[in-house]
Amino acid sequence: MEPISLTTLASEHLAKARENTSGRSAQTVHGGHQHSLRQTLIALAAGRGLDEHESPGEATLQVLQGRVRVASSHDTWEGAAGDYLVIPPERHNLTALDDSAVLLTVAVDSGPAT
């Protein structure tokens, strides 16, 4: 497997996010339907984000660039470059306070072992 530069990938997707009308761009770095671990780089232009959604299960967010806010109905967490946040196991949203890139890691239930 070839190494992946998250710094380069973040810069590329931030450029795309700034151009996209949605203000975001993403790429799966590892995983997919055949894996129980999924990692996705998400780039967001300042002020943009992901609307409230269900928790994907056990998940974490590593802030690669910028500053973000994760908010649920009960609490709010902010993270800056280098910070690591645990995603709450409840409905939440994600907002970029600055142009930001994060690495979302999700452990999905792959079902019983065969």
Side-chain angles (χ1 to χ4, degrees):
M1 175 179 190
E2 290 293 319
I4 296 170
S5 169
L6 292 176
T7 302
T8 300
L9 199 60
S11 293
E12 291 169 357
H13 281 276
L14 274 172
K16 291 178 184 178
R18 290 181 193 111
E19 294 174 3
N20 289 341
T21 57
S22 66
R24 61 185 181 228
S25 179
Q27 178 179 329
T28 299
V29 177
H30 175 80
H33 296 293
Q34 68 276 22
H35 296 280
S36 58
L37 177 69
R38 293 187 191 150
Q39 293 182 299
T40 305
L41 183 131
I42 303 170
L44 300 165
R48 302 316 263 300
L50 303 175
D51 292 337
E52 187 176 76
H53 55 278
E54 294 296 331
S55 178
E58 190 172 0
T60 61
L61 200 67
Q62 180 180 358
V63 184
L64 303 173
Q65 293 183 24
R67 293 183 311 124
V68 298
R69 177 181 299 128
V70 176
S72 72
S73 62
H74 299 100
D75 212 343
T76 301
W77 305 266
E78 289 190 11
D83 288 345
Y84 178 85
L85 304 171
V86 175
I87 303 294
E90 58 191 296
R91 289 185 66 79
H92 61 280
N93 63 38
L94 172 66
T95 304
L97 303 175
D98 300 323
D99 285 353
S100 300
V102 299
L103 183 65
L104 172 66
T105 300
V106 178
V108 295
D109 183 9
S110 60
T114 57

